[in-house]
């Protein structure tokens, strides 16, 4: 059974930093792209960042590029998101998410998400 | 960026009746080399994480009831719930995975009339 367990959320002041982590289990972690998707209170879903399984290639939304850094440790089945220079508009529930595509597949569709964690709440406020 | 526009924002449907949600992308998400539409549908029930329902615009994820179906191609897509059940009350999102940034529609809230 796929499990994604986020940790590290909390209250932080504007301009501060926070690091989220996601412990993954139930699948071969290194074979799958992993992503962070956020949801502001009462709002819709917003993609934040993704990292490929084997190459480690990273992708970011314009709203976080230069402030957030996504990383992964395939030996520990862990995904991380280092969030710096946080703003009030970064307040959201941050979901760790797994790609449907096994990178051994011939077709590339890494952006399709099939499993989501329960989320880690990040509140940016003074 | 590909903008995903859903309609309506909300709808109320009687139990057992059909619910139809539309999603329009600002550019085609049909990849010509494999003839696949890079379009997914998610269901998010209150207080829960999103759940994948449909991908490739019309392929039902394993375990998803067959009352859920997806259709469309290119830029226009539809999610249909054939016979609405009480457990289908949720917000439904479309998402394109054709290119980055990955983008979602604004969501459609489905309620019981």
């Amino acid at each position: 059974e796929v499990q994604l367990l986020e940790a590290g959320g909390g209250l932080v002041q504007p301009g501060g930093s926070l690091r989220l982590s996601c412990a993954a289990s139930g699948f071969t972690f290194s074979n799958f792209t992993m992503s962070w998707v956020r949801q502001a209170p009462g709002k819709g879903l917003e993609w934040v960042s993704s990292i490929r399984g084997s190459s480690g290639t990273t992708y970011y939304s314009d709203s976080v590029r230069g402030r957030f850094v996504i990383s992964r440790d395939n030996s520990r089945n862990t995904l991380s998101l280092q969030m710096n220079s946080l703003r009030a508009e970064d307040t959201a529930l941050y979901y760790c998410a797994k790609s449907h595509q096994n990178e051994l597949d011939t077709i590339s569709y890494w952006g399709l998400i099939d499993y989501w964690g329960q989320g880690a709440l990040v509140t940016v406020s003074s | 960026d590909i903008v995903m526009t859903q309609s309506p924002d909300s709808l109320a449907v009687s139990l057992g009746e059909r619910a139809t949600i539309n999603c329009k992308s600002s550019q085609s998400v049909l990849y010509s080399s494999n003839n696949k539409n890079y379009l997914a549908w998610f269901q998010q029930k209150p207080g829960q994480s999103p759940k994948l329902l449909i991908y490739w615009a019309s392929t039902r994820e394993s375990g998803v009831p067959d009352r859920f179906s997806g259709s469309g191609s290119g830029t226009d897509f539809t999610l249909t719930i054939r016979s609405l059940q009480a457990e289908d009350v949720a917000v439904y999102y479309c998402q394109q995975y054709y290119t980055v940034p990955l983008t979602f529609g604004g969501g459609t809230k489905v309620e019981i009339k």
Side-chain angles (χ1 to χ4, degrees), chain B:
Chain B
D1 298 5
I2 298 179
V3 177
M4 308 299 291
T5 304
Q6 285 183 234
S7 62
D9 293 335
S10 64
L11 75 161
V13 177
S14 300
L15 288 173
E17 296 299 306
R18 179 188 301 255
T20 302
I21 300 168
N22 300 301
C23 175
K24 187 175 183 66
S25 57
S26 61
Q27 64 188 75
S28 176
V29 297
L30 174 63
Y31 193 38
S32 56
S33 67
N34 59 17
N35 201 36
K36 288 183 177 293
N37 287 283
Y38 282 56
L39 188 284
W41 289 97
F42 294 90
Q43 174 194 63
Q44 187 176 33
K45 295 182 179 180
Q48 295 186 16
S49 305
K51 173 188 174 184
L52 177 63
L53 295 177
I54 303 281
Y55 58 100
W56 298 134
S58 60
T59 300
R60 206 176 297 113
E61 174 70 333
S62 176
V64 173
D66 62 6
R67 64 179 180 273
F68 291 92
S69 64
S71 62
S73 183
T75 61
D76 292 279
F77 302 91
T78 300
L79 175 70
T80 301
I81 310 173
R82 178 169 33 89
S83 174
L84 192 75
Q85 305 299 303
E87 61 265 32
D88 301 333
V89 168
V91 178
Y92 293 83
Y93 296 93
C94 62
Q95 182 232 335
Q96 66 81 17
Y97 48 102
Y98 181 86
T99 188
V100 289
L102 307 178
T103 48
F104 294 86
T108 296
K109 187 174 184 178
V110 174
E111 299 172 307
I112 304 296
K113 184 187 292 183

Side-chain angles (χ1 to χ4, degrees), chain A residues 32-53:
Chain A
F32 293 86
T33 296
M34 298 295 294
S35 300
W36 291 98
V37 179
R38 67 186 180 185
Q39 186 169 35
K43 302 298 185 183
L45 301 168
E46 180 191 12
W47 172 75
V48 173
S49 181
S50 298
I51 183 167
R52 303 297 297 272

Side-chain angles (χ1 to χ4, degrees), chain A residues 13-27:
Chain A
Q13 292 188 338
S17 298
L18 208 58
R19 186 178 182 88
L20 302 181
S21 63
C22 172
S25 61
F27 62 102

